[in-house]
């Protein structure tokens, strides 16, 4: 009984469920249940007040095997998490259950943890099924414990919430995540006071009076000044995605204004900018869907690198560390530029010739002294950039 999962995804399953574990006096809940069926690995945890399950779709070769489940004891969660952090996120980890041991295997190391195979975990699938089938009462208004609400931040997801009744569990859905939360029954030493929406609203009648002026949080809140100067790269995922898409649209529009024949480098530059930004957007979107917290971490890290102005040095070092040859790339580029400088008109001369032609077409009278950079082609009646003369020995 074994499956494979990369270190990052396994760490993510643990992080999303660890805060929901039960205490040491309820042994079946004092840990994270790792549950494998024909298609997924699930990490499940509960302290009876909240219940959380995160899943990972199995690789093709791991699908279809006999289901198995084992509880990773809470006392070992920290050591497993540190073991995972010490390796590259893409590194493959094999989970194996042998002789009452849960074994995490990686290419260079392995971690073995004693487990109790007979430890029964609640029927978490049945619990979720029952909560999902709850009928919705009229105007439910449950009391929720704010301390427990903070646990859901560990998902790193936008969550959708279904409320069905005052005294029944709230159901939450995220990306490959499902959770449930019981309503609060006690406040301090006594029970929670029964309350309806109308009674709660009446306590704030001085500001919620029906005859007062209403406002909308979408349309009536101040917006960020789009013209305010910004001197730092954004660390916000959504703003980064917006900027990438904007650059794609700008560059694909500008390519139509660039002259392929007269300024081919500019034409290709627009193409490269559009392609690079579209690729970056798709990668960011995929990463954010897979792991919003990692996407936010990467965006913030990249923003700091951009602000430092040293991305060229980082790219060079990263290329070398990855086994590439940046010196070869540099030499090839320098040779290309030297060849271009020797055989083609200067780029500024090309743009000057285009400007002179535009001025002529606009009826502007001007004169240009004879020079080695631009010349008037009498036959074509156009200004053109002049190719450099071959260097003499």
């Amino acid at each position: 009984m074994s499956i494979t999962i990369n270190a990052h995804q396994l760490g993510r399953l643990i992080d999303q469920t660890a805060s929901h574990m039960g205490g040491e006096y309820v042994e079946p809940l004092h840990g994270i249940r790792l549950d494998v069926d024909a298609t997924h690995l699930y990490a499940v945890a509960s302290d009876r007040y909240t219940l959380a399950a995160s899943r990972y779709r199995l690789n093709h070769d791991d699908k279809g095997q006999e289901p198995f489940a084992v509880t990773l004891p809470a006392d070992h969660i920290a050591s497993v998490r540190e073991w995972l952090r010490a390796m590259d996120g893409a590194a493959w980890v094999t989970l194996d259950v042998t002789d009452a041991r849960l074994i995490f295997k990686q290419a260079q190391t392995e971690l073995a943890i004693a487990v109790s195979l007979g430890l029964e975990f609640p029927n978490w699938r049945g619990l979720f099924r029952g909560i999902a089938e709850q009928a919705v009462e009229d105007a439910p208004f449950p009391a929720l414990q704010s301390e427990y609400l903070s646990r859901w931040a560990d998902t790193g997801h936008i969550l959708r919430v279904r409320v069905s009744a005052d005294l029944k569990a709230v159901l939450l859905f995220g990306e490959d995540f499902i959770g449930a939360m019981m309503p609060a029954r006690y406040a301090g030493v006594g029970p929670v006071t029964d309350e309806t929406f109308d009674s709660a609203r009446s306590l704030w009648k001085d500001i919620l009076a029906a005859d007062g002026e209403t406002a909308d949080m979408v349309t009536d809140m101040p917006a960020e000044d789009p013209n305010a100067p910004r001197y730092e790269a954004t660390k916000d995922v959504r703003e980064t995605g917006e900027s990438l898409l904007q650059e794609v649209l700008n560059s694909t529009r500008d390519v139509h204004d660039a002259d392929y024949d007269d300024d081919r480098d500019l034409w290709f530059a627009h193409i490269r900018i559009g392609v690079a930004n579209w690729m970056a957007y798709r990668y960011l979107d995929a990463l954010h869907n897979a792991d919003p917290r990692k996407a936010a971490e990467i965006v913030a890290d990249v923003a700091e690198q951009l602000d430092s102005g040293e991305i060229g040095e980082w790219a060079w070092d990263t290329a070398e560390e990855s086994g590439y040859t940046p010196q070869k790339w540099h030499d090839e580029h320098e040779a290309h530029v030297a060849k271009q400088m020797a055989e083609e008109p200067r780029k500024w001369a090309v743009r000057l010739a285009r400007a002179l032609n535009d001025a002529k077409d606009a009826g502007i009278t001007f004169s240009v002294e004879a020079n080695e950079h631009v010349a008037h082609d009498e036959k074509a009646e156009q200004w053109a950039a002049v190719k450099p003369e071959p260097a003499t020995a």
Side-chain angles (χ1 to χ4, degrees):
M1 298 184 296
S2 66
I3 61 162
T4 55
I5 179 174
N6 70 47
H8 172 73
Q9 291 292 346
L10 180 56
R12 180 168 168 261
L13 293 180
I14 293 173
D15 291 344
Q16 290 187 336
T17 53
S19 62
H20 299 271
M21 291 188 301
E24 60 184 310
Y25 299 113
V26 187
E27 187 180 5
L29 300 180
H30 193 46
I32 295 176
R33 189 71 165 179
L34 300 178
D35 191 321
V36 177
D37 62 18
T39 58
H40 289 86
L41 164 64
Y42 302 88
V44 188
S46 176
D47 65 348
R48 297 183 300 160
Y49 302 105
T50 62
L51 172 64
S54 183
R55 69 183 181 182
Y56 169 78
R57 182 175 292 277
L58 298 178
N59 297 313
H60 177 75
D61 292 342
D62 292 334
K63 292 182 178 180
Q65 62 178 301
E66 286 296 317
F68 68 91
V70 64
T71 298
L72 173 61
D75 293 343
H76 296 284
I77 298 294
S79 59
V80 172
R81 199 62 190 91
E82 287 303 312
W83 183 74
L84 293 171
R85 289 193 185 99
M87 64 186 71
D88 187 85
W92 288 105
V93 176
T94 299
L95 275 64
D96 193 4
V97 180
T98 305
D99 298 329
R101 292 188 307 161
L102 174 59
I103 304 174
F104 300 87
K105 298 180 181 178
Q106 204 265 334
Q108 286 79 32
T109 62
E110 72 174 49
L111 182 63
I113 296 172
V115 295
S116 175
L117 298 180
L119 195 63
E120 291 291 332
F121 193 81
N123 178 10
W124 62 272
R125 290 178 175 84
L127 290 171
F128 278 125
R129 191 174 297 116
I131 297 169
E133 293 176 356
Q134 290 170 178
V136 178
E137 296 180 0
D138 182 45
F141 194 57
L144 301 178
Q145 173 58 260
S146 59
E147 177 185 350
Y148 299 154
L149 285 172
S150 64
R151 298 177 181 180
W152 306 109
D154 293 335
T155 66
H157 286 302
I158 291 175
L159 297 175
R160 294 187 179 275
V161 181
R162 182 179 188 264
V163 179
S164 59
D166 286 1
L167 298 178
K168 293 183 179 180
V170 172
L171 192 60
L172 302 95
F173 291 95
E175 184 76 23
D176 283 321
F177 182 88
I178 186 171
M181 178 175 171
M182 290 297 296
R185 296 176 180 270
Y186 299 95
V189 297
V192 172
T193 304
D194 288 338
E195 194 165 27
T196 65
F197 172 74
D198 289 336
S199 64
R201 179 177 178 173
S202 68
L203 298 175
W204 290 82
K205 60 184 178 182
D206 53 333
I207 67 166
L208 300 179
D211 57 349
E213 182 181 355
T214 62
D216 188 285
M217 287 190 68
V218 175
T219 58
D220 297 327
M221 297 292 281
E224 183 178 287
D225 182 359
N227 299 316
R230 302 186 65 164
Y231 304 105
E232 297 179 346
T234 180
K235 296 183 179 181
D236 181 80
V237 173
R238 180 170 175 78
E239 289 181 0
T240 300
E242 179 185 19
S243 175
L244 292 170
L245 286 176
Q246 185 177 4
E247 288 301 318
V248 172
L249 295 176
N250 288 345
S251 59
T252 51
R253 184 229 177 265
D254 290 343
V255 74
H256 295 293
D257 293 335
D259 193 312
Y260 177 79
D261 294 318
D262 289 342
D263 203 342
R264 193 163 302 183
D265 282 350
L266 179 61
W267 189 87
F268 277 119
H270 289 312
I271 293 294
R272 285 193 295 269
I273 292 170
V275 169
N277 279 281
W278 179 245
M279 291 171 65
Y281 172 80
R282 291 300 306 275
Y283 297 152
L284 176 60
D285 184 50
L287 176 59
H288 187 261
N289 287 329
D291 191 343
R293 286 186 297 177
K294 176 57 71 172
E297 177 186 325
I298 293 297
V299 166
D301 188 39
V302 169
E304 292 183 1
Q305 293 178 339
L306 293 175
D307 289 337
S308 76
E310 299 174 352
I311 57 174
E313 290 84 347
W314 271 315
W316 187 287
D317 292 342
T318 301
E320 287 187 328
E321 292 168 1
S322 302
Y324 301 119
T325 53
Q327 186 62 55
K328 180 173 178 289
W329 301 341
H330 174 269
D331 294 343
E332 289 175 348
H333 181 68
E334 289 294 308
H336 170 73
V337 171
K339 183 174 183 294
Q340 193 175 51
M341 293 287 287
E343 298 178 357
E344 299 179 14
R346 301 292 181 264
K347 296 304 174 188
W348 64 265
V350 172
R351 296 186 179 98
L352 174 58
R354 184 183 298 117
L356 293 173
N357 288 322
D358 289 342
K360 178 177 69 67
D361 294 340
I364 299 174
T365 302
F366 58 86
S367 63
V368 178
E369 294 182 1
N371 63 85
E372 60 182 11
H373 303 293
V374 294
H376 190 261
D377 185 333
E378 299 296 339
K379 185 176 181 179
E381 297 184 348
Q382 291 285 316
W383 287 90
V386 178
K387 292 183 178 181
E389 293 292 334
T392 57

